[in-house]
Amino acid sequence: MPMYVVGHKIPDSDSICGAIALAYLKNQIDEPAVATRLGDVSPETAFILDRFGFEAPALKESYAGEEVYIVDHSELTQAPDDISDATIVGIVDHHKLGDLTTSTPLECWIRPVGCSNTVIKMMYDFYQVEIPANIAGIMLCAILSDTVIFKSPTCTTADIRCVEALAEIAGIEDFKALGMEMFKVKSAVDGTPARDLVMRDFKDFNMNDNLVGIGQLEVTDLSVFDNIKADLEADIAKLKEEGNRHSVILLLTDIMKEGSEILVVSDDASIIEKAYGKSLTDGKVWLDGVLSRKKQVVPPLQDAFA
Amino acid sequence: MPMYVVGHKIPDSDSICGAIALAYLKNQIDEPAVATRLGDVSPETAFILDRFGFEAPALKESYAGEEVYIVDHSELTQAPDDISDATIVGIVDHHKLGDLTTSTPLECWIRPVGCSNTVIKMMYDFYQVEIPANIAGIMLCAILSDTVIFKSPTCTTADIRCVEALAEIAGIEDFKALGMEMFKVKSAVDGTPARDLVMRDFKDFNMNDNLVGIGQLEVTDLSVFDNIKADLEADIAKLKEEGNRHSVILLLTDIMKEGSEILVVSDDASIIEKAYGKSLTDGKVWLDGVLSRKKQVVPPLQDAFA
């Protein structure tokens, strides 16, 4: 029986490309593995897979009785619903340590770098397995996505060196141009239903027993939201009503201006204002320099809830 | 400000030697680090430190506001009491994933091998830092201790290769003889108060919200307990009365006969009988082939509590 290699719910490019890259590596070292996914692929991820000739991994939501290698998180809220009935054999990640636990020893490759695929590259190096050109291509794109082409404060020297090495392997001469092409695909939001945009890159967090959902849309120019911002605001209000979240936050990130407008619906907005030291106006505020949910949005909010 | 590198409460040789070895490595890569400990060193650990010319790390129990690198566990019950007020910057371990969480990204070097020092050797290799002979010596002893000189089912090929490489560096020709010498020191239990023996290698586990304390004494001949077994049984009964534990278990492990007698005091001994498929007689039973608390004692018990 193979292990399944799977990223988080509402998969981003790091989760999908990481699952493919890690499953390939595991198979090379005689540990049979199959990449899977927990949800639809985003337009950005579809662009990457298409560019390098991959199909999306199979959708698989139940893992009871299976061995699972978790990619890009260590949080119960982001894992398969029946993860407690599975055996977690490993975790590769670059986030804070979440609340997943196991009853048996496992391997964890977790590093404070910009992308899980940078850690997966370290795994290839450790096992001395050659990376095929097309896998190097999707790994590179995942890192450019997570690090916002190196602009994110989460980006480290390790990520930059990794992209340079992967570009060499993949034969990509201008990886920054490829990154911009990818972010332009990501910026095409017109004509997409508001709920699809809100959920495109959405993660739930358990903050001191309060459920907080945080979505993020990264675009090359915030003006793409001019005509749909009211719809997005209405939709996160609706999303909050439908569930049991304390707060729903949507980050509209301008990767060129290097900052994010946050749209907030909350049981207690003062916690959010405390976290970022800014007052909300009509449930919104611009946070200059904020590009990273992981490093700039989640930790202060978690501290404000503590 | 340096980070503190610290193992678990009631430190074993892996925790102490691992903290020293990892702090040295971190200092070599310009990350100032100080090894500390959460409790007294055992006679076995004292033997190892003395043999290779080390002092015990400083006792330090409070870490609020500090950066901490955790060695040999990922469990709240085994960590400093105020760990939630510290910043965990890393974890090196070889156990199941416990309930420690963080609010910021960190590094985790966790592998399903026999000893944390085997993982620390991988870290030295990754950073290409040379291991001094005396540090290689204490790392080697920690691995021989945790793997019961390779007899434990937790022992992997990686542990054996690691000991061979460390023996070469440390200039130790007969590491098995050194291991036996170490276990003979460990077997000298006569004249030691019962409570000291019970607590010598004692760990608390949270099993489905039940606190379970499990101690282990590894000796080269179980007959050393002939005159003191009644005292040990009385003491674990007393220990259970003093605290809020569901069960207290003491493993008397014979590393030559390769098995353990378990002494049990429990609110519901049927759970323990179910876990190991054996009936207790007067609160005791011999478990043939059981050497490893981590691999053979904790997982079945955790499953029985689930």
Side-chain angles (χ1 to χ4, degrees):
Chain A
M1 283 221 313
M3 76 180 88
Y4 292 97
V5 184
V6 67
H8 51 73
K9 287 178 176 172
I10 310 175
D12 60 1
S13 297
D14 195 19
S15 273
I16 298 289
C17 301
I20 294 171
L22 180 54
Y24 177 86
L25 169 61
K26 284 289 178 182
N27 282 306
Q28 296 309 109
I29 58 173
D30 291 327
E31 298 179 19
V34 173
T36 52
R37 64 184 160 91
L38 287 180
D40 294 338
V41 300
S42 71
E44 179 197 74
T45 306
F47 164 84
I48 297 170
L49 296 178
D50 183 60
R51 168 64 64 104
F52 293 99
F54 286 95
E55 298 287 323
L59 179 70
K60 179 175 166 67
E61 297 186 285
S62 174
Y63 294 85
E66 309 283 6
E67 295 198 334
V68 179
Y69 207 115
I70 297 283
V71 175
D72 200 33
H73 73 96
S74 60
E75 308 272 347
L76 272 172
T77 54
Q78 298 175 26
D81 290 334
D82 58 359
I83 192 67
S84 61
D85 299 321
T87 303
I88 301 175
V89 295
I91 298 174
V92 55
D93 191 25
H94 66 122
H95 298 86
K96 70 192 181 72
L97 189 60
D99 53 4
L100 281 178
T101 60
T102 68
S103 58
T104 47
L106 78 168
E107 58 176 71
C108 293
W109 295 72
I110 303 175
R111 298 291 180 277
V113 295
C115 183
S116 294
N117 274 275
T118 299
V119 190
I120 293 170
K121 170 68 160 61
M122 294 177 194
M123 297 175 73
Y124 271 91
D125 292 344
F126 177 81
Y127 290 110
Q128 299 182 295
V129 169
E130 206 175 312
I131 307 178
N134 57 350
I135 287 189
I138 62 174
M139 292 172 72
L140 174 151
C141 284
I143 301 169
L144 292 177
S145 171
D146 264 18
T147 63
V148 192
I149 316 177
F150 306 158
K151 289 182 183 184
S152 170
T154 61
C155 185
T156 66
T157 311
D159 299 297
I160 297 170
R161 296 285 162 272
C162 185
V163 163
E164 289 167 351
L166 292 169
E168 181 97 14
I169 296 166
I172 295 166
E173 284 188 17
D174 188 348
F175 60 76
K176 291 204 175 177
L178 174 60
M180 276 309 289
E181 198 182 338
M182 188 174 74
F183 272 98
K184 278 191 184 123
V185 169
K186 202 171 191 169
S187 303
V189 296
D190 228 33
T192 308
R195 179 56 57 93
D196 290 5
L197 292 175
V198 168
M199 299 310 289
R200 183 169 281 173
D201 177 11
F202 189 90
K203 287 184 183 172
D204 276 316
F205 299 88
N206 178 344
M207 298 197 179
N208 203 14
D209 285 334
N210 299 285
L211 189 63
V212 177
I214 309 179
Q216 183 171 27
L217 292 167
E218 293 165 316
V219 297
T220 52
D221 184 347
L222 228 52
S223 69
V224 300
F225 295 118
D226 285 352
N227 295 322
I228 59 170
K229 201 181 289 180
D231 291 348
L232 293 172
E233 291 177 46
D235 193 72
I236 62 172
K238 191 154 167 282
L239 180 64
K240 182 169 176 323
E241 262 173 41
E242 291 162 10
N244 56 346
R245 294 183 181 87
H246 177 282
S247 304
V248 177
I249 300 174
L250 184 64
L251 308 175
L252 305 180
T253 300
D254 189 318
I255 72 164
M256 304 310 288
K257 291 204 186 72
E258 304 194 11
S260 297
E261 183 173 26
I262 57 170
L263 314 184
V264 176
V265 185
S266 177
D267 288 340
D268 180 4
S270 74
I271 293 182
I272 284 102
E273 295 183 327
K274 186 175 104 186
Y276 307 116
K278 289 262 189 182
S279 296
L280 296 166
T281 307
D282 296 332
K284 312 188 262 287
V285 67
W286 170 258
L287 300 179
D288 206 46
V290 169
L291 290 171
S292 166
R293 172 170 53 193
K294 179 170 76 116
K295 199 152 186 169
Q296 298 170 294
V297 177
V298 170
L301 194 53
Q302 196 147 30
D303 289 346
F305 270 103
Chain B
M1 282 220 315
M3 76 179 88
Y4 292 97
V5 184
V6 68
H8 50 74
K9 288 179 175 170
I10 309 174
D12 60 1
S13 297
D14 196 19
S15 273
I16 298 289
C17 301
I20 294 171
L22 180 54
Y24 176 87
L25 169 61
K26 285 288 178 184
N27 282 305
Q28 295 309 109
I29 57 174
D30 291 327
E31 298 179 19
V34 174
T36 53
R37 63 183 161 91
L38 288 180
D40 293 339
V41 300
S42 71
E44 179 198 73
T45 306
F47 165 85
I48 297 170
L49 295 178
D50 183 60
R51 170 64 64 102
F52 294 98
F54 287 95
E55 298 288 322
L59 179 70
K60 177 175 169 65
E61 298 187 284
S62 175
Y63 294 84
E66 309 282 6
E67 295 199 335
V68 180
Y69 206 115
I70 297 283
V71 176
D72 201 33
H73 73 95
S74 59
E75 309 271 348
L76 272 170
T77 54
Q78 297 174 27
D81 290 334
D82 57 359
I83 191 68
S84 60
D85 300 321
T87 302
I88 301 176
V89 295
I91 299 175
V92 56
D93 190 26
H94 67 121
H95 297 86
K96 71 192 181 72
L97 189 60
D99 52 3
L100 281 180
T101 60
T102 68
S103 58
T104 47
L106 77 169
E107 60 176 68
C108 293
W109 295 73
I110 304 176
R111 298 291 181 278
V113 295
C115 183
S116 295
N117 274 274
T118 299
V119 190
I120 293 170
K121 170 69 161 60
M122 294 178 194
M123 297 175 73
Y124 271 91
D125 292 344
F126 177 82
Y127 291 110
Q128 299 181 294
V129 169
E130 206 174 312
I131 307 177
N134 57 349
I135 286 189
I138 61 174
M139 291 172 72
L140 175 151
C141 284
I143 301 171
L144 291 176
S145 172
D146 264 18
T147 63
V148 192
I149 317 177
F150 307 158
K151 288 180 184 187
S152 169
T154 60
C155 185
T156 66
T157 312
D159 299 299
I160 298 170
R161 296 284 163 274
C162 183
V163 164
E164 289 166 353
L166 292 169
E168 182 97 14
I169 295 166
I172 296 166
E173 283 187 20
D174 189 348
F175 60 76
K176 291 204 176 178
L178 174 60
M180 276 308 290
E181 198 182 339
M182 188 174 74
F183 273 97
K184 279 194 183 119
V185 170
K186 201 172 192 168
S187 303
V189 296
D190 229 34
T192 307
R195 178 57 57 91
D196 289 5
L197 292 175
V198 168
M199 299 311 289
R200 182 169 282 174
D201 176 10
F202 190 89
K203 287 184 184 173
D204 276 316
F205 298 87
N206 178 343
M207 299 200 180
N208 202 15
D209 285 335
N210 299 286
L211 190 63
V212 177
I214 308 178
Q216 182 172 26
L217 292 167
E218 292 164 317
V219 298
T220 51
D221 185 346
L222 228 52
S223 69
V224 300
F225 296 118
D226 286 351
N227 295 323
I228 59 170
K229 201 181 290 179
D231 291 348
L232 293 172
E233 291 175 44
D235 192 72
I236 61 172
K238 191 154 167 284
L239 181 63
K240 182 171 174 322
E241 260 172 43
E242 292 162 8
N244 57 346
R245 294 183 182 87
H246 176 283
S247 304
V248 177
I249 300 174
L250 184 63
L251 308 176
L252 305 180
T253 300
D254 189 318
I255 73 163
M256 304 311 287
K257 292 202 186 71
E258 304 194 10
S260 298
E261 184 173 26
I262 58 170
L263 314 184
V264 176
V265 185
S266 177
D267 287 339
D268 179 5
S270 74
I271 292 181
I272 284 101
E273 296 183 328
K274 186 175 101 185
Y276 308 116
K278 289 263 189 183
S279 296
L280 297 165
T281 306
D282 296 335
K284 316 188 260 288
V285 67
W286 170 258
L287 300 179
D288 206 47
V290 169
L291 292 170
S292 166
R293 172 171 53 195
K294 178 170 78 116
K295 198 151 185 170
Q296 297 170 294
V297 176
V298 170
L301 196 53
Q302 196 148 30
D303 289 345
F305 270 103

